[in-house]
Amino acid sequence: MIKTDIIIIGAGPTGLFTVFEAGLLKLKCHLIDALAQPGGQCSEIYPKKPIYDIPAYPEILAGTLVDNLMEQIKPFEPGFTLGERAETLDKQEDGSFIVTTSKGTQHHAPVVVIAGGLGSFEPRKPLIANLNLFESKGVEYMIKDPEVFRNKKVVISGGGDSALDWSIFLADVASEVSLVHRRNEFRGALDSVEKARELAKLGKIQLYTEAEVKEIHGKEDLQAVVIKYNDETKEESYVETDYFIPLFGLSPKLGPIGNWGLEIEKNAIKVNNAKDYQTNIPGVFAIGDVNTYEGKLKLILSGFHEAAVMCQYAYQIINPDKRYVMKYTTVGGVEGFDGSKKEAKKEVVQSIS
């Protein structure tokens, strides 16, 4: 059994930053995530997409943000159980918890923090009869590495920001890009819509509006799609392609966490945001996009703030007989469990005799 001070369910940005805040309080953390690598959505779904609202970074790639967080928490030596989903939560007589994963790995700690983003995600798939036969054989539901599509023919379906942004990005990567949307109006940012239409005029994107991909064809791998128009003509276009990428969004699911007796509201966990982001189960906290309260903003920086506040109260649960006085890192520095120490150089004041 793995024993630690804080069990963190979810190794996305908020979960990772929790390790740093806990480390400043000399608390050890162990993270559980169903994905095979840390980083959550930033690593799994859009590692190459830029993020613009991280303080002090006018622009940073999602994957780079994760790399930086991993470097920041390295001195605090967190443990990881990856590729395993947290299945059960069992409260012990002393008030501590045992979290057991889908593979039977048990974790024991006095505090549990749910930082699982929006939970587990499943792509929203179009209703195409043989779609599953070509998954990972030309049909993809997310783009991790744009270079995979270098000099390839790509068909993207969708009308939101993701479909627009990737169509624009891949226009300079793929040999051909086709964007298919069932309406003439897009739901994305206006500048992205204008950019996509401009690229269509230049012949860099083939735009199909009021149309849908209704059939896909191929032998072992995908070879073509059939696009049918929704207008009066009901015309069809047979488009040869190497990849078909339907970007209709992801459907979040809490999964087994939803059966732990937590108070749930609209697929999110209700917390006490007036104090510590604790759930209705004492000792169990929820931070980041997975929680909800009045005025909640689902932003990475909000998750970072919640992590800092939550750790102060987690310390009191773990060390009820101790009083912690917060010190700014500019004053106290950062002392890792690995013996490393970061601190500002102290000025030497010489007296004049």
Side-chain angles (χ1 to χ4, degrees), residues 287-321:
I287 57 176
D289 287 354
V290 77
N291 76 13
T292 186
Y293 51 84
E294 186 176 354
K296 169 70 179 184
L297 291 176
K298 292 185 182 293
L299 298 171
I300 292 175
L301 62 89
S302 298
F304 289 169
H305 161 75
E306 292 165 10
V309 173
M310 179 277 301
C311 283
Q312 299 291 319
Y313 288 90
Y315 180 88
Q316 295 176 16
I317 292 174
I318 297 167
N319 300 292
D321 299 326

Side-chain angles (χ1 to χ4, degrees), residues 44-95:
E44 187 71 10
I45 300 175
Y46 49 86
K48 299 296 183 179
K49 287 194 73 174
I51 301 174
Y52 301 105
D53 60 354
I54 301 299
Y57 286 97
E59 176 181 335
I60 185 170
L61 294 180
T64 303
L65 174 64
V66 172
D67 292 340
N68 289 354
L69 286 166
M70 290 294 290
E71 182 65 25
Q72 185 179 30
I73 67 175
K74 188 177 179 181
F76 298 115
E77 301 178 329
F80 289 91
T81 298
L82 300 174
E84 300 182 31
R85 185 173 64 179
E87 290 283 339
T88 60
L89 174 75
D90 297 301
K91 192 164 187 174
Q92 307 302 294
E93 291 184 2
D94 63 356

